[in-house]
């Protein structure tokens, strides 16, 4: 008795994953390679600090209880999720709501509904990481102006301090890169709207 060949589900899953990945990351027409790389740069600028926190959260004898450690993990996941939204400024899902969303699925994203939060985020991130972060580090103070605690990673000295700076320094780029993507998105959408009004 010959059994029918076994159907492997992995190619189906792999195909679904590939199409979902493409839909999330693939740039729309009019987006240059430079802007596509800029969106990737946002995610990669945030990744080192997100990864740096995880071993710190679960290091043996580390500070804080389970709640604080879970918060650190949540902060890393949230940071990467926010960084990923940069792709919304170059991909189709930033111009047309995905169909699976209730009520708005398949409709055009209003230009300012994307531009206002993105511009606000770019301004806040630039102030926080590009301006305030380096200034407070040089001054040896927290954001509130208090002296940095002795166990602060940036004050530890040696490899621990060097590794902290290597992982956190790329955050300086987050706000400015997001600002570049936001301006390009706004210009592209305005140009599309003008073309549509002439038709």
């Amino acid at each position: 008795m010959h059994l029918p060949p076994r159907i492997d589900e992995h190619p189906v899953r792999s195909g679904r994953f590939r199409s979902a990945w493409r839909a999330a990351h693939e740039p729309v027409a009019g987006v240059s390679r430079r802007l596509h790389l800029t969106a990737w740069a946002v995610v990669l600028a945030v990744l080192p600090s997100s990864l740096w926190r995880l071993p710190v959260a679960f290091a043996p004898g580390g500070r804080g209880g389970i709640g604080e450690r879970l918060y650190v993990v949540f902060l890393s996941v949230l940071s990467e999720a926010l960084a990923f939204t940069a792709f919304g400024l170059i991909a189709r899902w930033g111009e047309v709501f995905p169909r699976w969303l209730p009520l708005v699925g398949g409709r055009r994203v209003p230009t300012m509904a994307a531009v206002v939060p993105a511009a606000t985020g770019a301004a806040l991130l630039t102030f926080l990481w590009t301006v305030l972060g380096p200034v407070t580090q040089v001054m040896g103070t927290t954001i509130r102006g208090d002296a940095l605690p002795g166990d602060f990673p940036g004050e530890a000295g040696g490899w621990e301090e060097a590794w902290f700076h290597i992982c956190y320094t790329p955050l300086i780029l987050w706000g400015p890169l997001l600002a570049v993507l936001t301006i390009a998105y706004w210009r592209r959408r305005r140009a599309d709207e003008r073309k549509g009004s002439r038709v």
Side-chain angles (χ1 to χ4, degrees):
M1 182 176 174
H2 293 288
L3 295 174
R6 193 170 157 191
I7 297 172
D8 190 359
E9 292 181 4
H10 292 305
V12 175
R13 286 183 196 150
S14 174
R16 284 183 188 159
F17 176 78
R18 261 191 213 139
S19 58
W21 177 273
R22 208 174 302 118
H25 298 87
E26 191 172 345
V28 295
V31 172
S32 67
R33 178 164 172 73
R34 186 176 295 172
L35 287 173
H36 190 194
L37 292 173
T38 302
W40 276 108
V42 169
V43 174
L44 294 175
V46 178
L47 185 61
S49 60
S50 297
L51 294 176
W52 178 88
R53 289 187 206 102
L54 298 180
V56 171
F58 294 102
R63 294 185 309 161
I66 188 69
E68 190 174 337
R69 291 175 184 225
L70 288 175
Y71 166 74
V72 169
V73 173
F74 170 75
L75 186 61
S76 288
V77 172
L78 179 65
S79 296
E80 277 307 307
L82 289 173
F84 172 74
T85 62
F87 278 98
L89 298 170
I90 65 158
R92 180 168 168 74
W93 60 270
E95 297 187 7
V96 178
F97 288 111
R99 295 210 171 269
W100 52 265
L101 284 175
L103 303 175
V104 295
R107 296 181 187 224
R108 298 281 293 174
V109 175
T111 302
M112 297 314 288
V115 169
V116 170
T120 304
L124 288 173
L125 290 165
T126 300
F127 176 71
L128 179 65
W129 293 115
T130 313
V131 177
L132 202 56
V135 168
T136 55
Q137 188 65 41
V138 168
M139 301 285 289
T141 62
T142 65
I143 292 173
R144 292 177 300 193
D146 304 324
L148 286 173
D151 60 352
F152 185 73
E155 301 290 303
W159 280 107
E160 187 179 347
E161 181 177 346
W163 186 239
F164 170 80
H165 288 299
I166 288 168
C167 291
Y168 269 80
T169 298
L171 288 175
I172 291 171
L173 301 173
W174 190 359
L177 291 175
L178 186 59
V180 168
L181 291 171
T182 303
I183 293 166
Y185 174 90
W186 178 74
R187 286 179 175 166
R188 188 175 68 253
R189 293 295 305 276
R190 286 290 301 273
D192 289 346
E193 287 164 10
R194 285 196 199 103
K195 283 180 195 168
S197 65
R198 287 178 198 152
V199 175

